Amino acid sequence: MSIRAWALAALMIAAPARAADPATDLAAVIDKHLAADWAARGVVPAAPADDAEFCRRVYLDVIGRTPRVAETLDFLDDKAPDKRTKLVDRLLGTAPHAAHFAAVTRAAWLPQSVAGANFAGFGFQLETWLRKQYRDNVPADRTVRALLEVPYQVQVTGQVGNTFRFVQPVGNDPDHRTIVGFYQANEAKAENAAAAVSRLFVGVKLECAQCHDHPFAPYTKEQFWEFAAFFADLNRVPTADAPPGPQGTRNRIQLPNSSQVVVARFFDGTSPEWNEVTSPRQELAAWLTSRQNPYFARNLANRMWAHFFGVGITDPVDEPGDANPPSHPELLDALGKAFAAGGFDNRLLVRAITRTKAYQLSSRMSHPTQADARRFARMSVRGLTPAQLFDSLVSATGYRESAQQRANTFAGFVQPGNPRSLFLNRFTSTDRPTEAGTTILQALMLMNGQFLDAQTAPDTAELLGAVADIPGWDTKRRVETLFLAALARRPTADELERFSSHVERGDRRKGLGDVFWVLLNSPEFLFNH
Amino acid sequence: MTLSRRQLLTAAAGVSVSGWLGRLAAADAKPRRSVVLLWMAGGPATIDLFDLKPGHDNGGPFRPVDTTAPGLRIGEHLPNLAYHGHRLAVLRGMSTREGDHGRGTYLMRTGVVPSAAGIQYPTVGSLLSKELGDPAGELPNFVSIAPQRFFSQEAYSPGFLGPQHAPLIVGDGQFGPNVPDIDAVLRVADLARPRTVAEDAAATRLDLLRGVHDDFAATHPGGVTRAHAAAYDRAVRLMRSAGGKVFDLTEEKANVRDAYGRNLFGQGCLLARRLVERGVPFVEVTLGGWDTHSNNFDQVRALCGTLDRAWAQLMTELTERGLIDRTTVVFAGEFGRTPKINQQRGRDHFSTAWSTVVAGGGVKGGQAVGRTSADGVTVTDRPVSAADFLATLCRIVGVDPEKPNMSNVGRPIPIADRGANPVTEVVA
């Protein structure tokens, strides 16, 4: 073999290796684990999702809304074999991706700020910061460290018996000002912050142990307070007479209604090497986000998994224990390790999960063994968040929403005349996505409400008006476009026939309004699938 | 193998997809137990209403008056309610330990303290209407009238019971003494077909919708699709049936409407009577404005005018119509107010010692259970927690408080906490 030929051969072998993409590798690992599970249980997976089904799903999951007509057509007409991968990569770079992930993360991290007006403001602050983190793809460990290490001080106002604890950042970093909302919404209490941090970043719900030993998992009341002691600086109120003491007093907390004092300790039983420089919260952050800490990586990877499949591998995602084993323990382990090895890159997980065969399965049930959502043998049907629903309505109808309307939707207070505010208020829910349904009032709003009425009446509707009046199109093309707008797919032959004949039976414009109304009220529009 | 469309449809349909747009359920002749919760948002000064302290500095200027029940005395600004004293049982030992509006609201309405997150506890109306209601009824099982959800949205949520147990809300976000056009506010939002759509067009739309729904449900069976079908089904039935008319208060005579008071709460109580009459098992009516940090006594006197008139008239009409024995009326807020009067002549938040009231069906009336100290600051006899209170309501309406529901965290959770101790002294 000539040197030249050898070099060429070497290049040909080396080239794919150089281009190897960790997301593709991880996707293969995921598929291998799932396929082994299916084979062992005799599960027959659903058919692969076609391009339209994939496209709509990935838009909803990655940027929080359905694709517009032009976006769907671009994708369907694209002949590139790797167009699915490219679509995900492109969506990850958009502002709506950062906004959607920030909103979802805020709802998980501060559920109290979604449901009540008391804390809504702090939630918006945190969400603003999270949006920046996702936009810049800051690694998850750095984001969590920033949250845990933010320098703050607590001021207490009011009189005894009716006080307000006010968390303020130390210094002038504008990020710190937005992050402290997390502690404020946890009422500036060590026990609340500890319960939230344990649940969110370790994946262990400890709060039952706050008052008594955990009934379903091996955590004691003492362990809870040892964890809470890492946040002892919230409960301690520094005053001029008693400034924060050295480490010897900063890392301990007194149990309520008791004289017992416990020292901060991780609940794997280990302790930091205490020193005078590092604060307990810094020690906690370092332990938590270490690549050697399996809880953190696994839990965050599992939450990302649940975002894309509607169900976690451990599910609920924060109740580990004998009563709630993971459906695929080895897969969960592999995901956690790959996430840590990849430097806690959120987008690595997004890319890997969306490339799997499992994520790209159809949601159509074709075999009874697909009924159990925890086998991931077909895509589950999931409710939309209120924001996903309204953003999808905007995308489908072409409604021109002003930036002022978009921004001005304060939780708990409905603003008449602002459709987004009306929708968010009517649809706010804390349901799990795979259990979300519809209430009577929601159904009435979709069927009879002013917003949908205007968007399904050709004289007032934006997209529908254009589709109804554009010259030169036949009825079928108009119906097809409404399907693309509402459902991000073309109609089947049967649907095209059924709806076109309805339109041609009477007034064409009104008939098209009926079609659009039906599609926007259909479960296919109202759910992610 | 593929499942037949019929099989999948049956699996997906659950209670009512076959009925949606179809025939209406047969009228349910069985009389049902009902609860009317009069919810006092902001925290009522129960020390000035139901547990007065005349002669003590904390007592303020109000005097107690006799009621139709010997020995049971209540505030002088509830003169009409005093005529129903023999039906009232006052729980004077409420002690609930949450003095924040949001947290107190959540606690009193779910029986548990809000935790950092996790378990989504259902609100009391969802819990009881699930037990007492008819899942296929023409009317919703839980109606919330003019709620003020901004203190805690979650305290109005069906939680892990799911959206089919959510309240049907009318008059959302409306409050204050001067709500314009109360008749319109208390109608079900979006119940009427849009004016732009003719009746036959609306019917055609529903036909077409049923087609696409059935197609989707056939290939996507499961709880989500089922809940969607059930909600549309009930919404359409409410639109079509006479049920929607129950929200039309203009059907009532002017003198009846006047008797309740021509304000949102008064008319809300009238609507509650109309709903209970038609078998709705849980109705709540909110009266807000109780957050009297300053000028407490003038404000309480004014609020009592509204409360006394509507509540007493509700009791009167329930009695006249033979509904009182199957209808329990409950008075509660998120907490009481400080016995000590502050420098603005106000009272602040206070959850250590305060009162609630149960009345009517299932209640042994004409008594006060529990006692507070002479200064009103502590409970000296028969303390009642929020969980005890919830368990008491269960017992009054004949529901087992320990009955478990499957929660969102995959384990059963009883209606009221297992440690709850119902106040059986008030259960008839």
Side-chain angles (χ1 to χ4, degrees):
Chain A
M1 188 188 277
S2 72
I3 290 197
R4 195 191 144 99
W6 179 85
L8 200 64
L11 204 68
M12 285 170 70
I13 294 162
R18 249 206 327 265
D21 181 335
T24 303
D25 293 347
L26 181 55
V29 170
I30 294 169
D31 279 326
K32 190 189 74 182
H33 282 287
L34 291 180
D37 180 62
W38 294 335
R41 293 167 186 269
V43 171
V44 181
D50 65 17
D51 279 343
E53 192 179 355
F54 173 82
C55 178
R56 182 179 191 274
R57 181 183 303 163
V58 101
Y59 264 83
L60 277 169
D61 285 337
V62 178
I63 69 168
R65 66 163 173 83
T66 53
R68 301 184 186 115
V69 176
E71 291 168 330
T72 303
L73 287 175
D74 279 351
F75 183 73
L76 296 181
D77 294 345
D78 188 351
K79 296 284 180 286
D82 59 346
K83 66 177 178 179
R84 294 191 179 190
T85 307
K86 279 193 191 146
L87 174 62
V88 173
D89 287 348
R90 187 174 67 70
L91 293 178
L92 282 174
T94 62
H97 162 66
H100 177 49
F101 269 42
V104 168
T105 306
R106 188 262 276 226
W109 288 10
L110 281 184
Q112 61 271 51
S113 75
V114 179
N118 283 12
F119 302 123
F122 307 122
F124 282 118
Q125 284 180 7
L126 186 72
E127 190 172 325
T128 305
W129 175 68
L130 286 167
R131 208 174 294 149
K132 210 166 83 175
Q133 303 296 106
Y134 282 116
R135 187 196 66 199
D136 299 340
N137 197 30
V138 175
D141 60 330
R142 267 181 46 203
T143 297
V144 172
R145 284 186 80 122
L147 182 78
L148 292 181
E149 294 179 349
V150 59
Y152 57 59
Q153 60 189 6
V154 181
Q155 284 187 349
V156 181
T157 58
Q159 311 121 316
V160 177
N162 191 23
T163 55
F164 184 73
R165 305 169 64 78
F166 190 42
V167 188
Q168 286 187 303
V170 176
N172 297 316
D173 187 327
D175 279 354
H176 292 168
R177 200 155 280 286
T178 57
I179 297 171
V180 291
F182 177 80
Y183 294 94
Q184 193 65 65
N186 279 299
E187 300 176 64
K189 288 182 181 163
E191 54 271 36
N192 291 14
V197 165
S198 167
R199 183 175 67 81
L200 293 169
F201 306 127
V202 192
V204 177
K205 203 183 278 173
L206 277 180
E207 58 249 38
C208 294
Q210 186 175 333
C211 311
H212 49 77
D213 291 355
H214 199 296
F216 299 98
Y219 299 106
T220 64
K221 185 173 169 180
E222 190 165 308
Q223 271 175 307
F224 174 81
W225 286 98
E226 284 170 355
F227 195 73
F230 284 104
F231 300 90
D233 59 353
L234 281 172
N235 289 18
R236 184 188 315 277
V237 182
T239 63
D241 321 334
Q247 196 60 272
T249 60
R250 278 195 290 169
N251 61 359
R252 56 200 58 202
I253 198 166
Q254 187 171 351
L255 270 62
N257 308 319
S258 154
S259 57
Q260 192 186 353
V261 172
V262 295
V263 177
R265 199 152 70 117
F266 308 122
F267 48 72
D268 60 6
T270 62
S271 297
E273 284 185 27
W274 297 111
N275 60 67
E276 293 296 313
V277 184
T278 331
S279 75
R281 284 191 290 126
Q282 287 170 323
E283 294 287 357
L284 176 64
W287 171 81
L288 186 65
T289 61
S290 150
R291 291 192 190 186
Q292 278 72 50
N293 182 333
Y295 299 105
F296 179 73
R298 269 204 309 246
N299 171 49
L300 263 62
N302 186 45
R303 285 173 183 274
M304 187 70 86
W305 180 278
H307 176 83
F308 283 91
F309 287 98
V311 181
I313 297 172
T314 295
D315 196 84
V317 295
D318 47 15
E319 290 249 325
D322 294 342
N324 185 28
S327 57
H328 303 73
E330 288 158 5
L331 169 56
L332 183 57
D333 203 45
L335 270 181
K337 284 190 172 132
F339 187 41
F344 299 105
D345 175 2
N346 288 311
R347 291 186 190 174
L348 167 68
L349 289 179
V350 175
R351 289 191 170 104
I353 289 171
T354 53
R355 282 176 206 187
T356 60
K357 292 196 181 78
Y359 180 77
Q360 299 191 14
L361 290 176
S362 175
S363 62
R364 300 169 73 86
M365 182 149 151
S366 57
H367 193 275
T369 55
Q370 296 155 11
D372 181 0
R374 300 201 61 185
R375 302 270 72 84
F376 308 105
R378 75 170 172 125
M379 180 48 72
S380 56
V381 178
R382 295 170 268 153
L384 303 181
T385 66
Q388 267 179 324
L389 173 62
F390 193 74
D391 284 335
S392 297
L393 278 169
V394 169
S395 170
T397 61
Y399 174 65
R400 281 162 225 246
E401 187 183 26
S402 72
Q404 195 266 342
Q405 282 180 332
R406 204 185 150 77
N408 205 3
T409 52
F410 199 68
F413 294 96
V414 189
Q415 288 159 12
N418 181 347
R420 177 177 292 267
S421 169
L422 292 164
F423 262 84
L424 294 192
N425 190 269
R426 190 79 64 86
F427 283 83
T428 287
S429 139
T430 44
D431 294 336
R432 286 149 51 82
T434 49
E435 286 165 11
T438 315
T439 67
I440 296 174
L441 282 173
Q442 292 165 352
L444 288 172
M445 187 180 217
L446 291 163
M447 287 194 287
N448 303 330
Q450 207 176 12
F451 178 79
L452 256 94
D453 182 38
Q455 290 302 329
T456 54
D459 290 339
T460 45
E462 263 121 349
L463 181 131
L464 173 71
V467 168
D469 293 341
I470 196 163
W473 281 14
D474 62 9
T475 301
K476 290 198 162 140
R477 185 152 183 203
R478 296 182 207 274
V479 168
E480 182 182 270
T481 307
L482 295 182
F483 265 77
L484 285 164
L487 307 182
R489 67 171 172 90
R490 295 194 167 95
T492 63
D494 170 58
E495 288 166 333
L496 192 58
E497 186 50 47
R498 211 184 328 156
F499 284 100
S500 299
S501 71
H502 168 72
V503 172
E504 281 168 0
R505 262 202 301 276
D507 177 286
R508 185 187 76 202
R509 299 175 84 242
K510 282 194 170 154
L512 287 165
D514 295 338
V515 173
F516 207 33
W517 181 93
V518 168
L519 297 179
L520 293 176
N521 273 281
S522 71
E524 191 174 349
F525 173 74
L526 296 172
F527 297 116
N528 188 0
H529 40 81
Chain B
M1 124 184 203
T2 52
L3 297 177
S4 80
R5 190 181 145 103
R6 187 72 237 164
Q7 271 173 310
L8 284 167
L9 262 182
T10 312
V15 282
S16 52
V17 81
S18 55
W20 101 310
L21 319 179
R23 77 202 150 72
L24 297 172
D28 187 353
K30 197 178 67 175
R32 293 185 170 278
R33 297 299 292 263
S34 293
V35 176
V36 178
L37 170 60
L38 307 178
W39 181 257
M40 302 294 120
T46 53
I47 189 171
D48 298 321
L49 303 173
F50 294 109
D51 188 12
L52 281 79
K53 300 294 175 189
H56 193 281
D57 280 354
N58 290 348
F62 294 171
R63 299 282 155 251
V65 294
D66 288 336
T67 69
T68 49
L72 178 65
R73 289 160 69 83
I74 63 175
E76 61 181 314
H77 298 295
L78 299 170
N80 292 299
L81 189 64
Y83 283 100
H84 298 278
H86 57 293
R87 298 192 189 279
L88 308 182
V90 181
L91 301 174
R92 286 190 175 146
M94 294 304 299
S95 190
T96 50
R97 303 205 301 190
E98 288 291 351
D100 167 79
H101 288 294
R103 295 179 64 84
T105 300
Y106 187 88
L107 172 62
M108 277 303 289
R109 295 176 58 91
T110 63
V112 290
V113 290
S115 65
I119 305 174
Q120 296 141 12
Y121 286 93
T123 189
V124 54
S126 300
L127 287 166
L128 292 183
S129 63
K130 172 174 178 285
E131 300 305 322
L132 302 174
D134 171 8
E138 183 177 292
L139 284 170
N141 286 317
F142 175 13
V143 177
S144 181
I145 299 170
Q148 299 180 11
R149 293 187 293 163
F150 41 81
F151 284 140
S152 171
Q153 199 105 10
E154 283 167 305
Y156 291 79
S157 149
F160 55 66
L161 297 181
Q164 67 272 35
H165 298 291
L168 181 107
I169 296 173
V170 294
D172 193 13
Q174 301 283 343
F175 51 89
N178 303 315
V179 174
D181 202 356
I182 290 168
D183 292 355
V185 159
L186 293 181
R187 304 262 181 125
V188 179
D190 304 325
L191 187 64
R193 192 178 71 237
R195 281 193 203 93
T196 54
V197 182
E199 189 173 353
D200 57 334
T204 311
R205 283 180 170 195
L206 287 171
D207 270 355
L208 289 166
L209 179 58
R210 179 172 49 185
V212 300
H213 179 274
D214 286 356
D215 288 347
F216 189 81
T219 47
H220 299 79
V224 175
T225 334
R226 202 156 51 231
H228 173 259
Y232 268 73
D233 184 17
R234 297 200 70 155
V236 169
R237 279 199 261 169
L238 195 59
M239 284 170 68
R240 288 190 166 174
S241 73
K245 292 286 280 177
V246 67
F247 295 92
D248 181 3
L249 294 178
T250 61
E251 286 187 341
E252 293 286 341
K253 292 202 183 82
N255 62 335
V256 172
R257 303 196 61 180
D258 291 343
Y260 278 90
R262 292 275 187 168
N263 55 69
L264 190 59
F265 180 73
Q267 300 303 299
C269 285
L270 170 57
L271 177 54
R273 189 265 288 159
R274 288 171 64 86
L275 291 163
V276 164
E277 221 168 9
R278 286 162 182 79
V280 174
F282 198 101
V283 184
E284 62 180 14
V285 193
T286 295
L287 176 61
W290 292 100
D291 199 16
T292 51
H293 286 286
S294 59
N295 197 17
N296 172 73
F297 300 98
D298 288 345
Q299 293 199 68
V300 167
R301 189 183 295 116
L303 285 161
C304 279
T306 304
L307 173 68
D308 180 55
R309 184 171 191 165
W311 185 359
Q313 183 62 21
L314 176 63
M315 299 294 293
T316 300
E317 282 212 321
L318 290 174
T319 309
E320 285 171 0
R321 293 172 184 237
L323 300 167
I324 193 73
D325 291 337
R326 65 167 183 85
T327 307
T328 309
V329 181
V330 181
F331 165 100
E334 65 262 41
F335 41 63
R337 306 202 75 83
T338 42
K340 189 170 164 49
I341 299 160
N342 70 24
Q343 291 182 344
Q344 289 81 44
R345 298 281 294 160
R347 296 190 189 271
D348 301 315
H349 304 180
F350 194 63
S351 59
T352 315
W354 58 291
S355 302
T356 55
V357 181
V358 288
V363 174
K364 202 181 281 176
Q367 59 170 338
V369 175
R371 193 189 305 264
T372 53
S373 52
D375 59 3
V377 173
T378 53
V379 174
T380 55
D381 178 39
R382 199 65 174 98
V384 178
S385 71
D388 297 340
F389 182 66
L390 177 58
T392 306
L393 297 187
C394 288
R395 286 270 183 250
I396 288 171
V397 297
V399 167
D400 177 4
E402 295 191 12
K403 185 181 169 184
N405 288 300
M406 189 45 74
S407 72
N408 61 308
V409 294
R411 65 167 190 267
I413 290 181
I415 295 176
D417 192 70
R418 263 187 213 89
N421 183 12
V423 187
T424 49
E425 301 93 303
V426 302
V427 180

